[in-house]
Amino acid sequence: MPDLQEIFAGCTQKPLLLAEPMSRHTSFRIGGPADALALPQTEGELQALLLKAKASQTPVTLIGNGSNLLVRDKGIRGLVIKLGNMLNDIEVKGSSITFGSGVSLALASKKAASLGLSGLEFAVGIPGSIGGAVYMNAGAYDGEMSKVVAAVRVMNAAGESKTLNAEQLDFSYRHTALQGSGWLVTSVTVALQPGEQEAIDAKMADFSRRRISKQPLELPSAGSMFKRPPGYFAGTLIDQTGLKGYTVGGAQVSRKHAGFVVNIGGATAADVLQLIADVQEKVYAAHGVRLEPEVLVLGEE
């Protein structure tokens, strides 16, 4: 294996982490080692990493905060670049705000609220970075990123940058044109509306209460496990199939909300993947509905 420490020396201020367990970088607390993990602080550092990776033919995997992610047990070969909490500049222009892609969605939502701007209230309880949220068109409580994103700045493996508008992102349910494109988000510009401060604060407080009361926040998870099937709710179908509490190894269908899979202790990616397959099979047998995972799966099988 090439000497990754030597290849990427000097690219970032923060040291390169070798054989780094991805369980330390995912909300599931699951995942084998990355050959190397980098934590760029600026677009310049990110560009330097990408250029060195291209020149050395090192495979690159990019992650945000690791909140909607399952990393397989053998880990990830090559270089993992973690953007969550790294690219975190915030620039305000009138009712538009540009966030670095590593800014957490919760922080972005609270920043907008503090400025009396409405439109990001739905995001207050969604874990993860705003860059990852755009990539997956994250949403909750009848809101989603497609409704507020005006433009994104993106970079490719050659270190080239460009700006894409909302139409070019081709938003659909939990999908954008960025997926599989090789372009990664470096900043996000949202267009919001001036609102009544009291109403904004009340809406955010309501969403936060609902999330705390209904979701299994006390255990590691990757958020909602399955996409919403047309005409149904995944959690309801799983519950109606009698699968609340269904367990494989350390992975369990949450007893609090059947749409979540939680790590009850020592879960492996293999446990989670087997549980997903079992749930899909049993729900299809009971209801004729095929559930599709919402969580991104990365790494070697």
Side-chain angles (χ1 to χ4, degrees), residues 25-28 63-70 82 84 128-129 221-222:
H25 301 277
T26 65
S27 59
F28 233 150
I63 67 169
N65 273 354
S67 61
N68 193 43
L69 185 63
L70 176 65
K82 183 178 180 180
S129 64
S221 79

Side-chain angles (χ1 to χ4, degrees), residues 64-77:
N65 273 354
S67 61
N68 193 43
L69 185 63
L70 176 65
V71 177
R72 292 187 175 99
D73 300 313
K74 290 186 179 178
I76 303 175
R77 305 289 68 80

Side-chain angles (χ1 to χ4, degrees), residues 12 14-17 36-40 49 79-83 86:
T12 57
K14 285 186 176 287
L16 197 69
L17 303 175
L37 186 139
L39 302 165
L49 288 166
L79 177 70
V80 175
I81 301 176
K82 183 178 180 180
L83 298 179
M86 297 302 132

Side-chain angles (χ1 to χ4, degrees), residues 6 8 27 84 137 154 168 172 231 250 263 277 286:
E6 184 177 327
F8 297 104
S27 59
N137 191 20
V154 294
Q168 290 170 304
S172 59
N263 180 355

Side-chain angles (χ1 to χ4, degrees), residues 44-270:
E45 290 189 355
L46 173 61
Q47 186 178 48
L49 288 166
L50 292 171
L51 290 173
K52 286 285 181 70
K54 185 179 182 184
S56 62
Q57 297 186 316
T58 303
V60 173
T61 301
L62 291 129
I63 67 169
N65 273 354
S67 61
N68 193 43
L69 185 63
L70 176 65
V71 177
R72 292 187 175 99
D73 300 313
K74 290 186 179 178
I76 303 175
R77 305 289 68 80
L79 177 70
V80 175
I81 301 176
K82 183 178 180 180
L83 298 179
N85 295 325
M86 297 302 132
L87 303 179
N88 54 14
D89 293 338
I90 299 175
E91 182 181 351
V92 181
K93 286 186 179 179
S95 58
S96 293
I97 310 176
T98 298
F99 297 98
S101 64
V103 173
S104 76
L105 262 187
L107 177 60
S109 179
K110 290 170 184 174
K111 177 64 176 179
S114 74
L115 297 168
L117 295 175
S118 179
L120 268 181
E121 294 93 333
F122 75 90
V124 66
I126 302 176
S129 64
I130 195 165
V134 170
Y135 185 85
M136 297 296 291
N137 191 20
Y141 304 119
D142 296 323
E144 63 181 22
M145 296 308 296
S146 65
K147 296 180 180 180
V148 294
V149 171
V152 297
R153 189 83 176 150
V154 294
M155 186 182 290
N156 67 10
E160 300 165 335
S161 294
K162 64 180 180 180
T163 299
L164 301 175
N165 62 31
E167 187 176 342
Q168 290 170 304
L169 291 169
D170 191 25
F171 283 108
S172 59
Y173 178 64
R174 301 297 178 263
H175 184 270
T176 64
L178 293 168
Q179 294 174 22
S181 70
W183 291 91
L184 60 115
V185 178
T186 57
S187 70
V188 177
T189 299
V190 295
L192 306 174
Q193 302 295 326
E196 289 289 333
Q197 191 69 57
E198 194 172 319
I200 293 170
D201 292 344
K203 187 181 286 189
M204 289 175 66
D206 176 48
F207 290 162
S208 294
R209 278 194 300 270
R210 287 158 67 179
R211 179 171 179 262
I212 290 167
S213 67
K214 294 180 180 179
Q215 297 181 13
L217 305 182
E218 66 281 0
L219 290 169
S221 79
S224 180
M225 179 55 69
F226 297 100
K227 295 180 181 178
R228 186 178 65 243
Y232 298 91
F233 291 100
T236 302
L237 290 173
I238 295 166
D239 193 1
Q240 289 173 348
T241 311
L243 293 175
K244 260 190 178 178
Y246 180 77
T247 303
V248 175
Q252 183 180 81
V253 175
S254 169
R255 298 182 188 278
K256 191 172 183 181
H257 189 313
F260 286 67
V261 174
V262 293
N263 180 355
I264 58 174
T268 65

